[in-house]
Amino acid sequence: MMALCLKQVFNKDKTFRPRKKFEPGTQRFELYKKAQASLKSGLDLKAVVQLPPGESINDWIAVHVVDFFNRINLIYGTMSEYCTEKSCPIMSGGLKYEYRWQDDGKYKKPTKLSAPQYMCMLMDWIEMLINNEDIFPTRIGVPFPKQFQQVCTKILTRLFRVFVHVYIHHFDSIINMGAEAHVNTCYKHFYYFIREFSLVDHRELEPLVRKPQGWGG
């Protein structure tokens, strides 16, 4: 059952929480369909992430940020029973990397949280941002804010930490579910995208500098 749920990463029939959708008839919906068609056609992922000719880079980034949120949210949600306060009292990526939570609300200073607490705060925070019309505008003619790519960098950097935690602490569970190929493809797609547009600092990538098991290529 768990493996089946995780295999739905690519048809996205189910999610861990209500997911952001693209409105049919909008430019972003068309971009989303184009990106999904390229992904499913089996094209090289390095080519799939490239900005289509004549398209807005901010629209392209927005589409991918929302889609990666949906996918990574589902990946973590399907294996969250293995990531508990007891098993993961600190949000980390092995012994060398610890991730503390900070936001503009309750946690104004970097705060040590368990991995489940961190993940919950992260998903709520991203959901709030992508549903904020001032940051991710959906109306035709409404421009993106000047800090849009900066906000996306922060979102993608924190989403990358989900991969770090999952690969380092829970990959055995993913293998047992028979879903490592799906997680690897999602990670590979994410990795090529952030590298294509230099959206995550290379220092953040260090925990997974060695290719995850079964990555290939």
Side-chain angles (χ1 to χ4, degrees), residues 44-112:
D44 177 6
L45 286 172
K46 288 183 181 178
V48 165
V49 299
Q50 293 172 5
L51 180 67
E55 299 293 355
S56 155
I57 186 170
N58 281 344
D59 274 322
W60 190 240
I61 290 173
V63 162
H64 282 80
V65 166
V66 172
D67 194 39
F68 285 135
F69 166 67
N70 287 334
R71 290 166 184 261
I72 295 168
N73 184 34
L74 177 56
I75 287 174
Y76 182 73
T78 56
M79 51 146 298
S80 58
E81 68 178 87
Y82 303 106
C83 184
T84 65
E85 301 284 333
K86 185 175 180 180
S87 69
C88 305
I90 298 172
M91 174 57 182
S92 61
L95 298 175
K96 190 175 179 183
Y97 301 95
E98 179 184 321
Y99 302 120
R100 299 188 176 189
W101 182 257
Q102 183 177 16
D103 55 32
D104 296 326
K106 180 180 177 181
Y107 300 97
K108 297 187 183 301
K109 294 182 179 180
T111 304
K112 185 180 295 189

Side-chain angles (χ1 to χ4, degrees), residues 6-192:
L6 192 48
K7 285 173 183 176
Q8 290 171 337
V9 167
F10 293 102
N11 64 29
K12 296 186 295 304
D13 288 335
K14 295 183 179 180
T15 54
F16 183 43
R17 60 179 64 220
R19 63 186 172 91
K20 174 82 171 185
K21 297 180 180 179
F22 302 102
E23 289 300 320
T26 64
Q27 173 65 14
R28 213 161 299 158
F29 179 73
E30 296 305 317
L31 269 183
Y32 172 71
K33 287 200 300 182
K34 184 183 294 186
Q36 292 300 301
S38 296
L39 188 61
K40 291 174 183 176
S41 70
L43 291 175
D44 177 6
L45 286 172
K46 288 183 181 178
V48 165
V49 299
Q50 293 172 5
L51 180 67
E55 299 293 355
S56 155
I57 186 170
N58 281 344
D59 274 322
W60 190 240
I61 290 173
V63 162
H64 282 80
V65 166
V66 172
D67 194 39
F68 285 135
F69 166 67
N70 287 334
R71 290 166 184 261
I72 295 168
N73 184 34
L74 177 56
I75 287 174
Y76 182 73
T78 56
M79 51 146 298
S80 58
E81 68 178 87
Y82 303 106
C83 184
T84 65
E85 301 284 333
K86 185 175 180 180
S87 69
C88 305
I90 298 172
M91 174 57 182
S92 61
L95 298 175
K96 190 175 179 183
Y97 301 95
E98 179 184 321
Y99 302 120
R100 299 188 176 189
W101 182 257
Q102 183 177 16
D103 55 32
D104 296 326
K106 180 180 177 181
Y107 300 97
K108 297 187 183 301
K109 294 182 179 180
T111 304
K112 185 180 295 189
L113 297 177
S114 68
Q117 286 177 306
Y118 186 100
M119 298 296 186
C120 187
M121 295 298 299
L122 174 60
M123 299 307 176
D124 285 346
W125 174 76
I126 296 175
E127 193 170 31
M128 176 194 69
L129 288 173
I130 63 179
N131 286 304
N132 185 335
E133 284 285 332
D134 292 332
I135 300 173
F136 280 76
T138 58
R139 297 185 300 277
I140 295 173
V142 177
F144 287 91
K146 290 181 180 179
Q147 76 275 22
F148 176 71
Q149 289 191 25
Q150 185 179 343
V151 171
C152 289
T153 285
K154 197 165 186 178
I155 291 173
L156 293 168
T157 296
R158 288 179 168 182
L159 281 175
F160 182 80
R161 294 171 182 176
V162 179
F163 280 119
V164 173
H165 184 76
V166 166
Y167 271 118
I168 292 176
H169 296 279
H170 301 293
F171 201 65
D172 284 349
S173 297
I174 291 172
I175 290 174
N176 291 338
M177 287 190 283
E180 65 271 25
H182 297 283
V183 177
N184 284 339
T185 298
C186 185
Y187 173 68
K188 202 171 184 179
H189 187 199
F190 181 92
Y191 177 82
Y192 285 140

